Amino acid sequence: MNKKFLACSAIFVSLFVANTLSAQEKAVEKSAKLSVYRVTPAKINDLVHTKLDVSFDYAKRYLYGKEWVTLKPHFYATDSLTLDAQGMDIKTVALVGTKGNTPLKYDYRDNKLYITLNKKYTNTEKYTVYIAYTAKPDELKVQGSAAITDAKGLYFINPDGADKNKPIQIWTQGETESSSAWFPTIDKPDQKTTQEISMTVQSKYTTLSNGKLVSQKPNANGTRTDTWKMDLPHSPYLFMMAVGDFKITKDTYKGKEVNYYLEPKYAPFAKQIFGKTPTMMKFYSDVLGVDYPWNKYAQVVARDYVSGAMENTTATLHGEHIQKTDRELLDGNEEGTIAHELFHQWFGDYVTAESWSNLTMNESFATFGEIIWHGYDEGKDAEDKSRYEKLQSYISSTKNGESPLLARFYYNDKEDMFDNVSYAKGSVILYAMKNQMGDAAFYKGLNKYLTTNAFKNGETHQLRLAMEDITGKDWSPYFNQWYYAGGHPILAVDYGYENGKATIRVKQTQDAAVQTFTLPVKVVIYAGGQKVTKEIVINSREQTFSFEVSAKPDLIDFDADKIIVGEINDNKVAENYYFQYKNAPTYANRIEALQFIMQSKAKSGQQILLGALKDKSGDLRALSIEGLNLEDAEVKAVALPVLLQMAKTDKDTEARAAAITKLAETGDQNYKALLLDGVKDRSYRVIAASIAGLTKVAPQEGMTALSSLDQDTKDHIASSIASLYISDPKDEHQAFYENIMANGDRNKIFAVIGQYFQYLRANTNPTVTEKGINGISAAIERLKLQNYLNKQLSGAYEATAQAKTQQAKSASGEVKSNLNKQADIFKKAAAELGKE
C-alpha cells in the first residue's frame, strides 16, 4: 500500500503541520517499552478456496453474501473452525456434501464465527463450509489509523446519488484485516487461497475484482452477474471489489490484459496517467528474473478512498489524487505511486509478509521499487533524488537517532507498522545492501527469495538466507544491525590537514541507548587536482583516519555513494561546498551545497546559485532561485535576464513558478505583463505564482485577475488563494474556505486547512470564528482525519485563545468583547479536541 498521499501525497501547508506523509505512511513515534510479543497466529486450518456470490443493497448499505469456503487442517487433526466475520448477520452455516448441505453448530460473538465441524478432519482432508450472511459495514464499530483512516472493509460511496458532483461507487479495502468485514475468512496475511467472486450489480455498472472476468450473465430484473476467478492463491487482505461507472482503457503486456478503470471524465487521459505501466512491468520482470506472475493487471481509481493506494492482487485501487487531466499532469504525475503498487505484485502479493511484524517485506520493497523505477525511466540523478527524499522523510520523523526496529515484533497495534521505518527507512536500507553486494548479486538474491517462496509467505530471515545462498557470505551482521535493532547513526565528521596528511575524525553521536553502528564507507578525496578513493570502516563511537595527500584537499566527499542510512554533520566550509557543487555533483551533494549557501547567505555563494539556475533538476533550479539575493546589484544584473527567460520557457513548472515569484518580489511594474500572461497559462502552478505575484506588483489588478478565473482554476489553486486571504481576512472570504471544508477530499483539506486557521485567527468576527471551527471539525470527521490533525489543531487553538485573551486586555468596547468571545471559542474547541 502506498501511504504517500499520502504517494501517497498529502502535504500539510500550515503553521502547525509541517510533515509530508506517504499513503499509508505516518511519522515515526517513539514507543514506551512494550511487553507483548506479537506472535504469528497459530495455523489450525488453512484456506484453500473461497467462492463468493454477493449482491448489494444501496439504500441500507448492506452486502448480501453466500460463501463456499474450502479448508483443510494445517497439521493437527481438528473438528472446529474459527473464522473472522466482522459486524455480520449470520443466516446459515452448513457443511457442503455430495448429497446436500448439513447444518453445523456455530457460535457468533466478538466478530468471530466459531463452527463445530461434523467430525475430526486430518490434514489430508479438505472440507467446504457454506455460509449465508449479511455484511453491514456502516454499522461496524471500528477505528482506523493515521495510515488507513477507516477499517470497515466495504464502502458505499454516494449510494443514494444525493451528491451530484460525486459518482456512485462501491469498493473494498482489505489491509490490514478488514476483508472479514465483507466475507467470513481467516483474516491473516499468512493465509493463501484461490478465489471466485460473482457480483450481481445494476447492468449499467462496471465491475472489477482479482483475476480474470470469466463470465457476465444478464438477469431478468435489469441486473447482471459478473464472475471473476483467481486461480492462483493469495492472501485474504488482497481480495477486492470495485463497482461503478468506470470507463475502461485497454493496454497489454506480453498478451496479458493491462486495463485502466477511470471515471469517464478522466478516461481520455488514461494513457497519460498510467501509460508507462507495461514498461514498468517489463523492467521489474527483467530486473527480478521473475516475469509478472499474474494473469492480468488492472488499476482503478475510487472516490473517498481511505488511504493512498492498495496493491490488491492483479487489481490495484488508487485514491482519486492519481486521476488527472493532461493539464493537471503539467505540474506533476503520480508515477511513484503507480510503480510502488506494481512492485507489490511481487513483494506483497506473490510473496506476502508472514505477519505484520514483517511488513518490511512488503512496504520497504515497494518503496525501493519506486526508487529504481525513477532511475530506469529518468536516469541516475532521478534515482538519487528519490532515495535522498526517502532518507530525509525518515530522518525528519525521528529524534536523536532513535526509531523502532524494521522487523518489529513488539507494537501497540498492527497499524503502527505503517510508518516511515517500514516504508522510507527500509527502502534505503535495501538500496545500501544493493550497493554493498553489487547489483548482480543483489537482484539474484531477490530472485532466490521470490522463487523459493512463490505464492507463500516470507520474512526477513528468508531474505537473509537467500542473499547468503547467492553471495556465499554471512549477512547476519547487516540484518542484525538494520532489521533487528533500531535507530540510525548520527555522525559528527571533522576534516583536517597537516604535514601532507588529510585526517577524518568520526564520532557516532546518536543517543547512547542507540546501538553503535558498523558502516563501510567510501571516501573520495579531491586534492592537488587529483581524485583519490579510499574505503574505510566505521565501527566504534570515535575513530580517526589518516591519508597521505599531495595538497590540502579541496573537498573530502565522505560517503561518496550516499548510502549511509543516517545523518552526517561535518565541518566543511563554504569553499568546500562550492567545489562540491561543481566537482562532486551527485544529487545529494548538489542539494546539500545549495542548502548550505542559502543558510549562510554569503555573497560568495551567489555565484554558485547563479550557476545552479541551469541545474539538471527542476527542483534544484527552483531552490537556487529562492536563495538568490536580488538586493545585491551585481547578482540582480546577472540574474534578472536568466529569471525572465526561465519564467517564460523553463520546462519544469516548479522552476517557472519560482522564477515568476522571484521577479514579482522585486515589485518592478515592468513584470506586470509577464504576470498577466502567466495568469493565462495552462499550468495551475504557474497561474498560482502569477496571481500571487500580481497582488504584490499591482494589488488591485491581482484581485481582479483572481476574480476572473474560472471555477476549475480556482479549485486547483485553492492553496494560493487561501494564502492571499490571510492578509485580507474579510468575512466574505469565509465562503471560499467553507466550500473546501464541506466538499474537498483529504488532499484539498490538507492544502488549505493551515491557511484557514490563520484566516480565522486574523479575522475579528466571532460568528466567523465559530462557523469556521465547526466547518473544520466537520471536515475532520467526514474524512476521518483525527489522527493527522487533532493534536496539532488543539495546540494551535489553545495558543490562539491565549493570544486573543491577551489582546482583549488592552482593548475596549465591542473590540474587547469580540476578542473575548473568540478566545472562548478557540479555548472550547481546543478542549474538545483534547478529549478525543
Side-chain angles (χ1 to χ4, degrees):
M1 177 170 275
N2 184 279
K3 312 305 182 211
K4 185 187 164 208
F5 37 136
L6 9 96
C8 207
S9 306
I11 302 177
F12 298 71
V13 186
S14 74
L15 282 180
F16 47 86
V17 186
N19 210 5
T20 302
L21 295 182
S22 179
Q24 193 164 289
E25 200 172 329
K26 63 175 186 173
V28 173
E29 295 182 2
K30 183 179 176 183
S31 309
K33 296 224 180 217
L34 302 171
S35 59
V36 179
Y37 181 90
R38 299 293 179 175
V39 63
T40 303
K43 295 176 81 171
I44 299 168
N45 287 283
D46 291 342
L47 295 172
V48 176
H49 182 68
T50 303
K51 180 180 178 182
L52 299 171
D53 187 345
V54 304
S55 60
F56 307 97
D57 187 325
Y58 285 76
K60 294 182 178 178
R61 304 188 183 201
Y62 287 175
L63 175 150
Y64 301 117
K66 299 175 183 177
E67 176 177 25
W68 295 262
V69 57
T70 302
L71 309 100
K72 71 177 187 64
H74 181 73
F75 182 81
Y76 299 105
T78 184
D79 59 1
S80 65
L81 169 64
T82 301
L83 297 176
D84 300 294
Q86 302 184 58
M88 297 179 180
D89 287 343
I90 304 297
K91 309 292 187 183
T92 304
V93 178
L95 185 76
V96 177
T98 54
K99 296 182 179 179
N101 293 351
T102 304
L104 295 173
K105 292 180 180 179
Y106 67 91
D107 184 18
Y108 180 52
R109 65 181 189 279
D110 301 325
N111 290 331
K112 299 275 189 184
L113 182 58
Y114 301 94
I115 301 170
T116 302
L117 301 174
N118 63 323
K119 69 167 192 168
K120 186 169 279 193
Y121 287 84
T122 69
N123 68 352
T124 61
E125 297 177 286
K126 295 178 185 177
Y127 61 91
T128 300
V129 174
Y130 168 75
I131 303 168
Y133 64 96
T134 301
K136 303 177 176 181
D138 280 54
E139 298 175 22
L140 182 61
K141 302 300 180 186
V142 289
Q143 187 165 349
S145 65
I148 311 169
T149 58
D150 206 338
K152 61 187 182 183
L154 175 65
Y155 297 81
F156 289 82
I157 306 304
N158 194 29
D160 55 6
D163 187 341
K164 301 306 178 187
N165 297 314
K166 187 179 292 186
I168 298 170
Q169 294 178 349
I170 296 173
W171 47 263
T172 61
Q173 164 55 35
E175 195 170 34
T176 46
E177 296 174 7
S178 298
S179 286
S180 52
W182 60 278
F183 66 97
T185 188
I186 304 174
D187 208 351
K188 301 298 176 188
D190 63 346
Q191 289 284 340
K192 296 266 183 168
T193 170
T194 53
Q195 80 179 63
E196 182 178 323
I197 300 181
S198 295
M199 286 181 269
T200 298
V201 299
Q202 295 176 45
S203 57
K204 64 181 178 179
Y205 290 133
T206 299
T207 69
L208 176 65
S209 187
N210 315 92
K212 290 280 284 185
L213 179 61
V214 294
S215 72
Q216 290 189 297
K217 187 184 76 172
N219 302 313
N221 61 356
T223 65
R224 187 187 72 250
T225 300
D226 291 357
T227 299
W228 294 81
K229 196 169 183 182
M230 185 84 177
D231 290 329
L232 297 172
H234 66 142
S235 295
Y237 79 89
L238 297 166
F239 280 40
M240 74 84 68
M241 297 186 298
V243 181
D245 181 17
F246 301 115
K247 185 170 177 56
I248 305 172
T249 301
K250 296 186 176 183
D251 215 335
T252 61
Y253 167 72
K254 288 190 175 181
K256 295 180 179 182
E257 290 183 9
V258 177
N259 295 335
Y260 317 125
Y261 291 66
L262 291 153
E263 293 175 34
K265 172 186 173 182
Y266 294 94
F269 315 108
K271 289 289 182 75
Q272 290 167 267
I273 299 167
F274 295 117
K276 290 183 181 178
T277 300
T279 305
M280 289 181 185
M281 295 170 79
K282 183 179 189 310
F283 168 59
Y284 289 150
S285 295
D286 291 346
V287 79
L288 295 172
V290 176
D291 199 23
Y292 178 75
W294 313 102
N295 58 10
K296 76 120 186 324
Y297 188 56
Q299 295 176 87
V300 61
V301 183
R303 288 293 189 101
D304 296 350
Y305 187 47
V306 294
S307 190
M310 182 63 209
E311 66 276 10
N312 309 298
T313 314
T314 77
T316 287
L317 190 149
H318 290 281
E320 63 198 90
H321 64 281
I322 207 165
Q323 196 163 238
K324 297 177 186 290
T325 64
D326 59 340
R327 188 177 172 191
E328 290 170 315
L329 287 165
L330 292 172
D331 295 326
N333 58 49
E334 299 294 336
E335 277 183 25
T337 299
I338 294 168
H340 180 110
E341 303 308 327
L342 177 59
F343 208 64
H344 266 308
Q345 298 297 316
W346 286 266
F347 291 91
D349 298 5
Y350 187 61
V351 182
T352 307
E354 180 260 355
S355 68
W356 302 120
S357 293
N358 285 286
L359 185 65
T360 178
M361 303 309 296
N362 292 4
E363 297 301 347
S364 299
F365 275 99
T367 310
F368 171 82
E370 294 178 51
I371 295 172
I372 62 172
W373 164 253
H374 288 306
Y376 176 80
D377 186 52
E378 302 171 74
K380 184 70 162 56
D381 202 60
E383 181 171 302
D384 289 348
K385 175 185 175 182
S386 182
R387 64 188 177 98
Y388 174 85
E389 290 172 344
K390 306 302 182 196
L391 178 60
Q392 299 311 310
S393 175
Y394 159 69
I395 287 173
S396 68
S397 63
T398 67
K399 190 180 291 184
N400 302 324
E402 297 177 312
S403 65
L405 280 61
L406 193 52
R408 201 177 323 165
F409 295 90
Y410 292 90
Y411 53 78
N412 283 313
D413 188 278
K414 58 188 180 297
E415 305 295 339
D416 297 343
M417 293 297 300
F418 294 84
D419 61 11
N420 266 326
V421 173
S422 295
Y423 285 74
K425 183 185 182 186
S427 72
V428 289
I429 285 170
L430 286 169
Y431 200 96
M433 190 192 304
K434 180 172 80 76
N435 180 276
Q436 291 185 32
M437 286 183 181
D439 285 11
F442 178 79
Y443 288 118
K444 191 71 174 173
L446 296 191
N447 176 273
K448 178 74 174 179
Y449 169 79
L450 288 171
T451 54
T452 301
N453 303 291
F455 306 110
K456 299 177 187 175
N457 296 85
E459 55 179 290
T460 48
H461 284 300
Q462 288 165 309
L463 177 65
R464 175 182 60 81
L465 291 171
M467 295 305 189
E468 291 177 354
D469 182 74
I470 296 302
T471 63
K473 176 184 173 182
D474 185 353
W475 283 90
S476 292
Y478 190 90
F479 278 76
N480 288 340
Q481 177 170 279
W482 292 114
Y483 284 84
Y484 305 119
H488 64 263
I490 302 177
L491 305 181
V493 183
D494 292 323
Y495 308 113
Y497 172 74
E498 192 173 0
N499 300 324
K501 288 189 175 182
T503 58
I504 305 173
R505 296 183 179 88
V506 184
K507 287 185 179 180
Q508 296 194 36
T509 64
Q510 65 270 18
D511 191 275
V514 178
Q515 62 176 312
T516 298
F517 288 83
T518 296
L519 306 166
V521 179
K522 181 190 290 185
V523 177
V524 177
I525 303 171
Y526 296 80
Q530 296 180 314
K531 177 180 172 183
V532 180
T533 300
K534 301 290 183 181
E535 304 279 353
I536 64 175
V537 176
I538 299 166
N539 55 16
S540 63
R541 285 277 168 166
E542 293 190 36
Q543 286 168 276
T544 300
F545 304 90
S546 181
F547 307 100
E548 290 188 2
V549 290
S550 59
K552 182 179 179 180
D554 296 301
L555 172 71
I556 297 178
D557 188 7
F558 185 84
D559 185 28
D561 290 340
K562 311 304 172 193
I563 64 162
I564 289 178
V565 184
E567 302 170 63
I568 299 173
N569 305 307
D570 56 26
N571 68 339
K572 283 184 292 195
V573 296
E575 287 71 22
N576 300 140
Y577 283 109
Y578 304 161
F579 184 92
Q580 175 176 305
Y581 181 85
K582 293 179 178 178
N583 299 282
T586 61
Y587 180 87
N589 275 345
R590 298 198 326 273
I591 192 171
E592 181 185 63
L594 295 176
Q595 288 170 339
F596 170 84
I597 292 165
M598 293 177 69
Q599 190 172 5
S600 71
K601 298 182 179 178
K603 181 173 180 177
S604 56
Q606 290 290 305
Q607 292 304 313
I608 300 296
L609 293 179
L610 287 168
L613 296 178
K614 296 180 180 179
D615 194 282
K616 70 178 89 172
S617 178
D619 67 307
L620 296 192
R621 295 198 296 276
L623 184 65
S624 302
I625 291 169
E626 187 183 335
L628 287 173
N629 178 15
L630 297 187
E631 293 181 5
D632 183 309
E634 293 179 22
V635 173
K636 187 175 183 179
V638 176
L640 289 184
V642 180
L643 290 175
L644 184 59
Q645 191 61 36
M646 292 178 72
K648 293 177 178 179
T649 63
D650 198 296
K651 292 180 180 179
D652 186 277
T653 60
E654 182 182 1
R656 281 186 65 203
I660 289 167
T661 299
K662 198 71 174 180
L663 291 171
E665 286 173 0
T666 67
D668 191 334
Q669 295 291 311
N670 289 322
Y671 295 123
K672 193 160 67 170
L674 171 75
L675 296 169
L676 288 168
D677 282 344
V679 172
K680 302 169 190 170
D681 201 89
R682 288 200 80 224
S683 161
Y684 297 112
R685 181 182 279 153
V686 169
I687 293 171
S690 301
I691 286 287
L694 199 55
T695 58
K696 289 187 178 73
V697 173
Q700 188 56 51
E701 289 184 58
M703 296 310 289
T704 300
L706 174 58
S707 63
S708 70
L709 295 176
D710 60 69
Q711 191 58 46
D712 172 76
T713 303
K714 287 180 180 177
D715 289 343
H716 280 85
I717 68 165
S719 178
S720 182
I721 296 172
S723 295
L724 291 174
Y725 286 162
I726 294 168
S727 57
D728 184 31
K730 295 176 182 174
D731 291 2
E732 56 262 35
H733 292 328
Q734 187 178 42
F736 162 79
Y737 296 103
E738 208 173 1
N739 177 58
I740 295 171
M741 291 300 112
N743 302 303
D745 63 17
R746 50 168 42 192
N747 285 342
K748 288 175 182 172
I749 298 297
F750 291 144
V752 305
I753 196 167
Q755 292 96 318
Y756 194 11
F757 161 71
Q758 293 175 69
Y759 164 83
L760 292 173
R761 187 176 61 181
N763 182 273
T764 57
N765 185 342
T767 302
V768 168
T769 307
E770 188 162 29
K771 198 172 184 181
I773 285 177
N774 288 340
I776 289 173
S777 296
I780 291 172
E781 178 63 30
R782 175 172 64 87
L783 295 172
K784 310 294 182 188
L785 302 178
Q786 292 86 345
N787 286 315
Y788 288 107
L789 294 173
N790 277 12
K791 184 177 179 181
Q792 292 89 343
L793 279 171
S794 179
Y797 287 169
E798 183 61 42
T800 304
Q802 293 174 11
K804 295 279 185 184
T805 300
Q806 197 62 34
Q807 291 170 23
K809 290 179 180 178
S810 56
S812 60
E814 187 179 359
V815 173
K816 183 183 184 78
S817 175
N818 284 343
L819 285 167
N820 281 322
K821 286 178 182 177
Q822 286 184 301
D824 288 343
I825 294 166
F826 278 113
K827 189 171 184 178
K828 182 181 176 183
E832 287 297 319
L833 290 176
K835 293 176 186 175
E836 296 181 13

